[in-house]
Amino acid sequence: DTGVSQNPRHKITKRGQNVTFRCDPISEHNRLYWYRQTLGQGPEFLTYFQNEAQLEKSRLLSDRFSAERPKGSFSTLEIQRTEQGDSAMYLCASSTPNQPQHFGDGTRLSIL
Amino acid sequence: QKEVEQNSGPLSVPEGAIASLNCTYSDRGSQSFFWYRQYSGKSPELIMFIYSNGDKEDGRFTAQLNKASQYVSLLIRDSQPSDSATYLCAVRGTDKLIFGTGTRLQVFP
């Protein structure tokens, strides 16, 4: 059990650029979640997958955001045309159904 | 009203004391409750979860749940400086977690 892995750990980009983050869940976990956390706040839910199916999306997830989990293993979160307000820590978590979620180390996004 | 509410703190306790962290939630139908610890600049780490009314103990940590009053608490006995962190309360809604803003705990020697 190597835990949830996220890459990159840090991403600095200019406003208007596209960015993509990757999450590798714990191997036996079929559920994968994305959250966003800004300074002084708790994590906010963005979306989650059960295997390759995306089952729920938050209204926080604007049209510029897209997430995939093509083979039910790793997942990617892409943000197009980044804005200043996208600066945050993006957290991935995984679990099996009805079990606690375990988080990766996160990807910190900074928009210049 | 926020769905999960916590006092942001900081809560300052001396080393060796009991730290008591509280959380209230608005959805009476909630069934699963979690406490995560988050060090500055790091990701949340699960430390306790509780599903039934009453107390659940794990080492120095005790989670308490009262569904009638819609609150959940975390007690940390024999607090250590290494316990200084932000403690996030989370409630499972459908399958996602709904977090409070966290309580910052400071344990001073």
Side-chain angles (χ1 to χ4, degrees):
Chain A
D1 180 358
T2 57
V4 179
S5 176
Q6 290 189 247
N7 286 289
R9 293 292 306 278
H10 304 276
K11 180 69 176 178
I12 301 173
T13 192
K14 292 181 179 180
R15 183 167 51 92
Q17 298 295 303
N18 299 343
V19 294
T20 300
F21 312 138
R22 176 178 169 127
C23 173
D24 288 87
I26 294 170
S27 57
E28 63 268 27
H29 287 182
N30 63 347
R31 291 196 173 175
L32 186 149
Y33 305 80
W34 287 99
Y35 294 84
R36 180 173 68 187
Q37 187 177 25
T38 54
L39 198 62
Q41 301 298 312
E44 294 178 294
F45 170 78
L46 294 177
T47 189
Y48 93 96
F49 294 83
Q50 178 163 295
N51 300 314
E52 66 275 11
Q54 189 173 18
L55 297 187
E56 188 174 347
K57 292 172 60 174
S58 164
R59 63 179 181 276
L60 292 175
L61 216 64
S62 75
D63 291 345
R64 297 185 297 106
F65 288 70
S66 62
E68 295 182 339
R69 195 182 182 196
K71 296 184 179 180
S73 57
F74 73 91
S75 175
T76 58
L77 177 68
E78 180 182 18
I79 309 174
Q80 296 182 326
R81 305 180 303 281
T82 52
E83 301 173 356
Q84 290 282 358
D86 296 332
S87 294
M89 173 79 88
Y90 288 83
L91 295 162
C92 177
S94 71
S95 75
T96 51
N98 299 317
Q99 294 301 308
Q101 296 175 25
H102 295 271
F103 285 84
D105 289 337
T107 294
R108 184 170 297 281
L109 175 64
S110 298
I111 308 297
L112 300 178
Chain B
Q1 181 188 6
K2 290 185 178 179
E3 293 182 78
V4 179
E5 296 211 43
Q6 297 182 256
N7 187 318
S8 61
L11 173 65
S12 292
V13 300
E15 185 174 358
I18 296 174
S20 177
L21 303 151
N22 300 312
C23 170
T24 58
Y25 60 94
S26 60
D27 184 355
R28 188 170 287 278
S30 299
Q31 298 293 322
S32 308
F33 307 87
F34 306 85
W35 284 100
Y36 287 83
R37 177 175 62 198
Q38 188 171 30
Y39 293 112
S40 181
K42 302 296 185 181
S43 65
E45 173 192 7
L46 179 71
I47 54 172
M48 289 288 288
F49 59 93
I50 187 166
Y51 302 151
S52 303
N53 272 332
D55 295 0
K56 179 181 179 182
E57 187 174 318
D58 184 0
R60 296 187 296 114
F61 299 101
T62 298
Q64 299 175 317
L65 175 60
N66 184 323
K67 290 185 179 180
S69 299
Q70 295 176 245
Y71 85 79
V72 57
S73 62
L74 179 70
L75 301 178
I76 306 175
R77 289 181 298 281
D78 188 23
S79 295
Q80 301 297 310
S82 59
D83 295 325
S84 298
T86 295
Y87 289 80
L88 296 162
C89 172
V91 175
R92 181 152 57 204
T94 57
D95 290 298
K96 61 182 179 284
L97 293 178
I98 302 166
F99 286 86
T101 56
T103 297
R104 187 156 63 95
L105 173 66
Q106 294 177 335
V107 181
F108 56 91

